[in-house]
Amino acid sequence: MFIDKPSKRLLLSFIIAATNIFSFAFGIAVTGDRRSNVDVVAASSGASTPILSPTAGARPAAKQTAAKVVAAPAPHAADVAAMPSATPSPSIPIAGKGMWIYEFDLIMGGNVQKIVDVSKAYGLTHLYVRAGTTRSGLDTWPDVLKILPVAHAAGLKVIPWYFPYLRNPAADARRTIAMVRTVVNGHRVDGFAADIETRAEGTKLSTKAVKQYIDTVRKGAPEAFMILVPPRPNSYTVRFYPYHLVPRFDAVAPMVYWGGVDPAKATADAVSYLKRYNRPVAPIGQVYDMGPEGGPKGRPKPPALRRFMNEARMRGSVGLSFWSWQHSSIPQWVAIRAFPWP
């Protein structure tokens, strides 16, 4: 489960956690160590030179050079059939290790170069960056545009993620098409993650709505690498979630937040279930504190992350990622960096 309408103030984050409006909790130290932006664990992790800390406190962002953006207008349903297609990329953009970014300005003070440098230093291959939701619009899409050319220059893939509530699937699809067709200094996003949640999170979930959304995107942007982000398959969700639509997407990234379940078992069950659809699987692991939601208190320890990553690798996942950067700790980052992939 992801959070809608990100706050730019830590105080509001704690209020949200206290009231349990959304399923993710913010009752943790969001930005961690504020002493320095040089990671003091570099020596313990085997690094010969200092590494920027991924949990450095938010600071004023360095002045960024304005990116030249060529945005394709959101097409109407009558126009999508006439749009040209591009040759699909042979690579899988979510292969390897990734991290999800929610509130961009709380990560390295919103400094895109530092975000990219840390990502490379800790072995990441791709970043999921929040673009917006049906309710909030594309309010954080500019964050994607800022980081895209810088990430590509460093060899990182950028995957915007969007929360479609599917009350108007065609409108959600038009927004998606506009994003994947946008060009920034010659760069386009490497894929697109559709965070299709359940009715408990406010989504008007149905097979018909999901089909209308993805089929409209396919007509308007057939070259886009589309990733379905569903809840973790379990005995409850398989009763109502339209997992059978996975083949209409290019890959699936299930939210494997294990809570009180053994991370290896949760991962094995989810990946094994989704493999039947013959699409690349890249599970999303948990680095946040599930205590405020009624789960185990505290962030998962490095051994739990290693069990998750090892099981994902053993089950043939093409990659994995973690929710989310701002909820993470340095020991977790060190564990992610040290784990070999594939």
Side-chain angles (χ1 to χ4, degrees), residues 95-236:
K97 293 182 281 189
M99 186 64 76
W100 290 70
I101 294 179
Y102 171 49
E103 293 179 295
F104 198 90
D105 290 345
L106 297 184
I107 307 301
M108 311 302 296
N111 185 301
V112 295
Q113 189 62 60
K114 288 183 179 180
I115 292 172
V116 168
D117 289 346
V118 168
S119 299
K120 293 292 291 184
Y122 282 86
L124 301 186
T125 59
H126 58 286
L127 294 171
Y128 291 90
V129 184
R130 184 186 186 278
T133 77
T134 301
R135 292 178 178 174
S136 65
L138 302 184
D139 57 334
T140 53
W141 175 238
D143 296 330
V144 179
L145 303 183
K146 284 191 302 183
I147 200 170
L148 184 60
V150 181
H152 279 182
L156 285 171
K157 305 293 187 183
V158 176
I159 317 294
W161 63 275
Y162 174 78
F163 189 151
Y165 283 85
L166 299 179
R167 299 186 182 282
N168 185 338
D172 284 323
R174 288 196 293 270
R175 276 182 176 163
T176 300
I177 293 166
M179 285 185 275
V180 298
R181 293 177 62 84
T182 296
V183 179
V184 185
N185 292 346
H187 298 270
R188 286 190 181 186
V189 296
D190 301 285
F192 190 90
D195 173 25
I196 300 180
E197 302 273 357
T198 69
R199 289 181 179 271
E201 285 76 39
T203 305
K204 193 173 182 180
L205 182 68
S206 70
T207 294
K208 179 180 179 181
V210 177
K211 285 177 65 176
Q212 183 181 0
Y213 168 76
I214 187 59
D215 290 353
T216 304
V217 172
R218 287 297 187 206
K219 290 177 182 178
E223 75 281 9
F225 190 94
M226 294 296 297
I227 305 145
L228 174 64
V229 183
R232 170 168 64 92
N234 56 40
S235 59
Y236 172 66

Side-chain angles (χ1 to χ4, degrees), residues 258 263-264 286 300-309:
W258 50 82
Q286 172 192 343
K301 304 296 185 184
L305 270 59
R306 286 192 288 269
R307 286 180 63 77
F308 161 73
M309 292 187 284

